[in-house]
Amino acid sequence: MQIRSSKDFWCGLVFLGIGAAFAAGALAYPFGSAARPGPAYLPFGLGLLLALLGLVVTVKSLVVATPDGEPIGPIAWRPLLIVLGSLALFAFLLPRAGMLVSLPILAITAALAGDEFRLREALANAAILTAGCWLVFVKGLGVTIPLLPAFLGG
Amino acid sequence: MEFLDNLALGFQTALALQNLFYALLGALLGTLIGVLPGLGPVATIAMLLPSVYTLDTTTALIMLAGIYYGAQYGGSTTAILVNVPGEASSMVTAIDGYQMARRGRAGAALAIAGLGSFFAGCVGTLLIAAFAPALTELAFAFGPAEYFSLMVLGLIGAVVLASGSVLKAVGMIILGLLLGQINTDVISGTPRYSFGIPELTDGIGFIAIAMGLFGIGEMIVNLGRPAEHRASLTRHVAGLWPTRRDLGDATPAILRGTALGAVLGVLPGGGALLGSFASYSLEKKLPGRDGEIPFGQGNIRAVAGPESANNAGAQTAFIPMLTLGIPPNAVMALMIGAMTIKGIQPGPQVMTANPSLFWGLIASMWVGNLMLVVLNLPLIGIWIRLLSVPYRFLFPAILVVSALGLYASGNNNFDIYMGVLFGGIGYLLFKLGCEPAPLILGFILGPMMEENLRRALLLARGDWTTFATRPLSGALLLAAALLVATTISPAIRKRREATFREEF
């Protein structure tokens, strides 16, 4: 057995896994009958369908030849981890430290994801973004966002 | 002529100084929130609902309507410029619009989107004025079985949105439908797949999914490329305005999109959205001019058609609201709320009991659309300049605004965590060669589809043949089957593969 398309091979397995998980999860809910379909009716059917489709995609990736084997290619770990990490950090900090603290942190940490990071630029960008967001979201649109850390009464 | 008398009354109301001012205010506010992803018209209108108490009813509704269609314009702007669809309905625009921007043709894309929307808005307004009573009959003919079949047709149409493998596109649709099942079951009240997390019982926020898959996922992909590849996005901006050939390509697409959108917009259940998808499918199936840019790589018809369709649909969505009191979407539900606050019972009698409100609102839609075009065309130059900002400044800005938008959409940080999750999923899907657009459509239509499926089965006492034997439903399913047949037939398959080579 040789994998002819890595992308499709893994994609099929992902479909298979997710479909099976949804179908298995549906077993916990009442099915009802065709005349009175319950909450498990559709997710179970769709889960099975997705799992089946995943199987087809995987099998096809083993059988049908592609010109270059469709490799998945290198994963951009640095931007992936930094972008998602800085966003998660922001989600954690915002209700605790407020926007005026967490937003500049997000802007600066996210900037590290690029390969042209310059601290001065990142600091300036963070300052402008914080001021702009405060003006537009808080002043202009009146969105309620915690501004200062909780211990400062924000 | 009664029709002209009605319109005259409408314009008299709409052009009153106070109403003009609030239409402008609404349109401006709408554009702003449309540009800012995460702050949708629903949230804004909900926030402004209290102002209805202090304003005259007609004025208040005119302002709220302005927010609604202003948001449609603004949503397409970010879809084209940074691939973040501000509104669900501008998602289709992002596919080719963003590719146009990457080829330095953002100006043409924005101009065509604006002009197409304006044309569609004008036609939509005229249609409401002329056919509102007659078109409501169509909505009456739709039962749960018909809705279900219509959504099946819509979902199959979504397969053509993807330019890669048909199988994978189908998989993405089903994945979207499944994600839409994470909610509280509407009929029995059972929370499903919530893992004990209270926020999940309301379902995953659309904004978190769209922003994660499109905005954040795309950002990671972009950053993973060497800088000189990225820069191609900004370096050459080929002209601010569409060329004569662009206009020649776009005009028929605008006409077709307007017609499709106007018809589908009347149907409750995301009419504007279905219209833009349907228009994209149609344009992709039609043979283009020789040497045209393939779909998925920045074809102008793929911007013109769906943009017109979604605007026409957004207008005609007022028809069931104004004549039947049935809201086709959340914004319209809020508008009905605003009317009841003022003691007006929505329904067929509005037209006769409050003619100045009814026709004033309709005329103000046209006035509002005109204002938007006048406001937005000069802004194109400014938007384009935004693109020449180096990516190292731009991406933290997109991330910051997205993060605040995610927070504002639910007023807690849960949606930001969901954005992180779906950003990661977006990158994974990119790596696996799956395109996110069909997933989003499945996600939106999933809950509606389930409700209608189960209701139809309930009405037919569990008899699945009801979908085929009811004439309108059967016809829709037949159309869906034909669409499947044309998608997998070899000749078209070859064309699909010809358009497959998408550059990343």
Side-chain angles (χ1 to χ4, degrees):
Chain A
M1 250 329 157
Q2 191 197 343
I3 299 174
R4 318 268 182 124
S5 163
S6 305
K7 276 187 182 174
D8 282 12
F9 180 76
W10 291 109
C11 171
L13 288 187
V14 168
F15 283 174
L16 184 68
I18 296 178
F22 266 98
L27 295 176
Y29 311 116
F31 262 83
S33 62
R36 268 188 119 45
Y41 205 74
L42 197 62
F44 184 75
L46 287 174
L48 276 194
L49 206 61
L50 187 63
L52 199 71
L53 198 82
L55 204 64
V56 174
V57 172
T58 302
V59 169
K60 209 178 142 213
S61 77
L62 297 170
V63 178
V64 180
T66 51
D68 56 351
E70 297 186 341
I72 289 181
I75 292 172
W77 287 110
R78 183 188 161 104
L80 179 70
L81 294 179
I82 293 181
V83 168
L84 297 185
S86 61
L87 194 60
L89 181 68
F90 177 74
F92 178 80
L93 283 180
L94 183 61
R96 292 170 177 82
M99 183 185 117
L100 298 181
V101 174
S102 52
L103 200 136
I105 294 181
L106 169 65
I108 294 167
T109 49
L112 287 166
D115 41 18
E116 322 160 275
F117 179 77
R118 277 163 230 161
L119 185 63
R120 268 203 172 163
E121 285 179 357
L123 286 174
N125 201 18
I128 294 170
L129 286 176
T130 310
C133 284
W134 179 76
L135 266 179
V136 172
F137 281 91
V138 180
K139 279 281 132 190
L141 293 168
V143 180
T144 9
I145 298 175
L147 287 179
L148 290 169
F151 62 85
L152 288 177
Chain B
M1 247 175 87
E2 202 192 347
F3 173 66
L4 289 181
D5 286 344
N6 286 336
L7 272 189
L9 172 67
F11 275 103
Q12 211 179 337
T13 315
L15 293 178
L17 204 58
Q18 193 198 14
N19 292 345
L20 267 183
F21 172 73
Y22 279 99
L24 179 69
L25 190 72
L28 269 178
L29 203 60
T31 309
L32 182 66
I33 58 158
V35 168
L36 297 175
L39 266 183
V42 180
T44 316
I45 293 182
M47 279 192 297
L48 288 175
L49 217 46
S51 71
V52 170
Y53 285 109
T54 51
L55 292 174
D56 185 46
T57 317
T58 313
T59 313
L61 284 181
I62 284 177
M63 182 180 75
L64 297 184
I67 293 175
Y68 175 54
Y69 43 69
Q72 311 271 351
Y73 268 76
S76 346
T77 305
T78 40
I80 292 171
L81 290 179
V82 287
N83 199 22
V84 175
E87 294 305 310
S89 51
S90 45
M91 211 186 73
V92 183
T93 312
I95 303 174
D96 278 69
Y98 179 62
Q99 293 303 325
M100 283 184 74
R102 288 188 55 185
R103 287 163 176 258
R105 310 212 51 228
L110 287 171
I112 282 294
L115 292 172
S117 295
F118 176 62
F119 175 78
C122 294
V123 174
T125 305
L126 275 179
L127 280 179
I128 298 180
F131 297 115
L135 277 173
T136 49
E137 297 294 320
L138 183 67
F140 273 133
F142 266 64
E146 281 75 19
Y147 278 119
F148 176 77
S149 302
L150 178 73
M151 286 170 196
V152 170
L153 177 63
L155 287 176
I156 288 177
V159 171
V160 297
L161 282 178
S163 41
S165 138
V166 177
L167 274 181
K168 282 198 212 168
V170 175
M172 294 302 283
I173 291 176
I174 302 176
L175 189 57
L177 288 170
L178 280 171
L179 288 174
Q181 299 286 314
I182 300 176
N183 59 10
T184 303
D185 175 38
V186 273
I187 296 177
S188 67
T190 319
R192 291 184 292 191
Y193 305 107
S194 60
F195 306 105
I197 302 169
E199 283 90 349
L200 278 183
T201 55
D202 289 339
I204 304 171
F206 163 76
I207 293 159
I209 291 199
M211 221 179 246
L213 292 187
F214 283 95
I216 300 170
E218 165 82 22
M219 185 185 295
I220 299 170
V221 171
N222 247 331
L223 287 168
R225 276 188 210 121
E228 56 276 13
H229 260 268
R230 231 179 283 140
S232 66
L233 183 144
T234 54
R235 215 151 274 162
H236 50 91
V237 174
L240 280 187
W241 299 101
T243 60
R244 185 161 300 196
R245 194 155 76 176
D246 287 337
L247 288 174
D249 286 343
T251 308
I254 289 175
L255 293 175
R256 288 188 291 260
T258 304
L260 260 179
V263 173
L264 291 174
V266 183
L267 304 169
L273 187 68
L274 271 185
S276 61
F277 278 97
S279 164
Y280 189 90
S281 317
L282 178 72
E283 293 306 325
K284 195 166 173 178
K285 292 254 178 257
L286 287 172
R289 176 172 55 74
D290 282 338
E292 198 181 39
I293 296 169
F295 273 69
Q297 296 179 20
N299 188 309
I300 196 154
R301 284 195 290 135
V303 175
E307 259 313 292
S308 318
N310 101 46
N311 224 44
Q315 299 288 31
T316 53
F318 277 91
I319 292 177
M321 194 278 264
L322 286 171
T323 56
L324 290 177
I326 300 174
N329 55 40
V331 176
M332 292 295 142
L334 286 172
M335 301 271 287
I336 287 181
M339 282 164 93
T340 39
I341 284 178
K342 299 298 273 189
I344 293 171
Q345 183 63 44
Q349 72 283 358
V350 173
M351 215 186 302
T352 42
N354 302 59
S356 72
L357 182 145
F358 185 88
W359 296 104
L361 186 57
I362 288 174
S364 82
M365 289 175 196
W366 186 80
V367 176
N369 269 295
L370 182 66
M371 281 178 184
L372 279 167
V373 145
V374 173
L375 277 173
N376 275 295
L377 288 185
L379 278 180
I380 290 177
I382 298 174
W383 294 127
I384 301 284
R385 209 145 310 147
L386 195 73
L387 278 183
S388 57
V389 175
Y391 198 64
R392 64 178 188 278
F393 292 112
L394 200 55
F395 85 83
I398 299 174
L399 196 64
V400 160
V401 174
S402 300
L404 281 181
L406 283 169
Y407 181 83
S409 69
N411 239 328
N412 72 40
N413 59 353
F414 181 74
D415 275 343
I416 313 183
Y417 286 122
M418 291 310 277
V420 174
L421 178 69
F422 279 97
I425 294 177
Y427 186 69
L428 174 77
L429 292 177
F430 167 77
K431 278 288 163 192
L432 295 177
C434 297
E435 288 160 81
L439 184 150
I440 304 252
L441 186 71
F443 174 74
I444 294 169
L445 289 185
M448 284 193 268
M449 193 165 163
E450 182 188 24
E451 206 183 321
N452 283 302
L453 169 76
R454 285 164 66 181
R455 217 175 266 161
L457 282 178
L458 207 65
L459 287 175
R461 299 196 173 75
D463 182 9
W464 277 82
T465 55
T466 178
F467 297 107
T469 49
R470 292 176 65 105
L472 201 51
S473 164
L476 288 166
L477 284 182
L478 191 70
L482 282 176
L483 200 58
V484 173
T486 54
T487 314
I488 53 180
S489 81
I492 288 171
R493 199 176 196 169
K494 207 171 251 167
R495 270 242 312 279
R496 275 178 55 89
E497 269 152 26
T499 61
F500 174 44
R501 273 173 283 280
E502 215 173 327
E503 297 165 50
F504 274 108

